[in-house]
Amino acid sequence: MRQVRCTEDRSNAIAILKDRVSLTISIFHYILYLSCQDAEPPPSSVVHGRAFGGAIGMRRASLLLVGVGLLLVTSCCKSALRPTPTPSPTPTPTPSPVDIARRAGEQMLSTTSLHFVIELSGQLTYLDSPPTLVLKRAEGDLVRPDRVRAIVKISSFGLLSEVAILGLGDEQYITNPLSQQWEKVPPEQGWYFDPALLFDPQYGIEPVLNETAWTFCAEGEIAGQTHTCLHGQLPGERVSPLTSGMVGPGVVTVDVWVGRRDAYVRRIQIVELDSDSEDPTRWLIEFSAFDQPVDIEPPRLP
């Protein structure tokens, strides 16, 4: 685009220059004509010396005016050939970590649905008490305000199994690992896992984003676009509701990856520093498919 504009400016300048050159030639011819008129005076000029001298003065004044005109024409030609300067673009200010976190919190609060994947590594995290069921992975969908469905991978005494969970507000359902039939989870049951708490306006992701002192940690690409990583450190009690109470007390670090263009949070990593000095518990939470239509209805009970 800039090259085309330069070409057009040059063409216009050349056209203006041609006009000025033609005008200069015409003026030059007029000067020659006046010079010829200023040749030897006729004999009668001796008698009329005053009149002849006045005519010469007029012609000299005309020549002076012509010279000034030539200077003006030359100045115009130089101005026409001079390229028009391109204004420098105004730099966009870099948003602070607080600004990025605030925008991400607003985006999360306005999100109606999303797909999530939760993976755990390091020190074991138990779902029940006394501890027998270890949470390994969960994948599913969330619909605001409090609907969730997911496939949860658990380990018990070294054996891996998968169960489906479904939540509709306070009602929780789970599939029996043996019969694969849906069962309603009684409130007094010894284990509880509700990913819908990630959407909770009081304990979920949005208030954590707004209440943490963030710093920049890195930039990277997720899902084909650039993301900014924000790093924070806070008490485990503040993050515990996000994980249905499975994050224990102590210091945790949180890294949040926010899309630079759309402000969606696509990755969260939580590290429980006090869980194990050599291999602490790590939560990796990833989000995708924002605001896609998802239908979550109560299951059919046997």
Side-chain angles (χ1 to χ4, degrees):
M1 181 64 73
R2 184 175 180 181
Q3 184 177 1
V4 173
R5 182 177 179 182
C6 292
T7 303
E8 292 178 352
D9 291 344
R10 184 176 180 84
S11 300
N12 294 334
I14 292 174
I16 295 174
L17 181 60
K18 288 181 179 178
D19 293 340
R20 298 298 187 272
V21 170
S22 298
L23 179 60
T24 304
I25 294 174
S26 300
I27 294 174
F28 182 71
H29 288 166
Y30 182 64
I31 293 173
L32 290 178
Y33 170 75
L34 293 179
S35 299
C36 292
Q37 296 297 320
D38 279 340
E40 294 183 4
S44 59
S45 63
V46 176
V47 180
H48 306 286
R50 182 177 298 177
F52 181 74
I56 293 176
M58 290 293 292
R59 290 188 179 117
R60 288 177 178 174
S62 299
L63 289 174
L64 180 60
L65 292 175
V66 169
V68 173
L70 284 173
L71 291 176
L72 293 175
V73 169
T74 304
S75 176
C76 292
C77 292
K78 291 182 178 179
S79 299
L81 290 174
R82 189 180 298 118
T84 303
T86 303
S88 301
T90 303
T92 302
T94 302
S96 67
V98 174
D99 294 333
I100 295 175
R102 176 186 52 78
R103 187 178 171 216
E106 294 173 352
Q107 184 70 288
M108 180 61 70
L109 195 61
S110 64
T111 299
T112 59
S113 65
L114 56 79
H115 186 77
F116 68 88
V117 177
I118 302 174
E119 293 185 315
L120 285 90
S121 60
Q123 180 66 27
L124 301 179
T125 301
Y126 291 92
L127 285 165
D128 58 348
S129 180
T132 58
L133 300 176
V134 178
L135 177 63
K136 305 296 289 184
R137 189 178 191 273
E139 179 174 0
D141 300 294
L142 289 171
V143 177
R144 192 176 290 279
D146 53 10
R147 296 198 169 202
V148 59
R149 67 183 178 198
I151 301 297
V152 179
K153 181 179 292 186
I154 59 177
S155 173
S156 180
F157 302 105
L159 299 176
L160 289 175
S161 61
E162 289 185 348
V163 296
I165 63 171
L166 192 148
L168 303 170
D170 294 333
E171 296 181 355
Q172 303 291 320
Y173 301 88
I174 187 173
T175 56
N176 187 301
L178 300 178
S179 65
Q180 297 299 313
Q181 297 293 318
W182 283 103
E183 299 176 356
K184 192 170 183 177
V185 180
E188 65 275 9
Q189 184 161 328
W191 75 277
Y192 182 79
F193 177 62
D194 185 8
L197 290 172
L198 295 168
F199 264 176
D200 190 277
Q202 185 176 358
Y203 301 107
I205 295 174
E206 188 267 338
V208 170
L209 287 169
N210 290 327
E211 298 170 7
T212 304
W214 300 104
T215 59
F216 290 119
C217 61
E219 281 197 345
E221 188 171 296
I222 302 174
Q225 71 164 288
T226 302
H227 283 64
T228 301
C229 177
L230 304 179
H231 177 80
Q233 185 170 297
L234 59 161
E237 293 85 354
R238 186 62 191 87
V239 182
S240 184
L242 293 177
T243 61
S244 301
M246 284 184 282
V247 170
V251 178
V252 300
T253 62
V254 181
D255 292 338
V256 179
W257 295 80
V258 181
R260 181 190 293 179
R261 177 175 53 84
D262 55 19
Y264 278 123
V265 175
R266 288 188 170 84
R267 179 177 297 165
I268 299 175
Q269 180 172 278
I270 302 171
V271 180
E272 301 180 54
L273 299 180
D274 295 339
S275 61
D276 188 284
S277 59
E278 297 182 358
D279 191 16
T281 303
R282 291 179 174 85
W283 295 71
L284 181 61
I285 307 172
E286 295 191 331
F287 300 122
S288 60
F290 298 94
D291 296 320
Q292 298 299 311
V294 178
D295 187 20
I296 300 178
E297 299 296 335
R300 290 185 178 181
L301 298 177

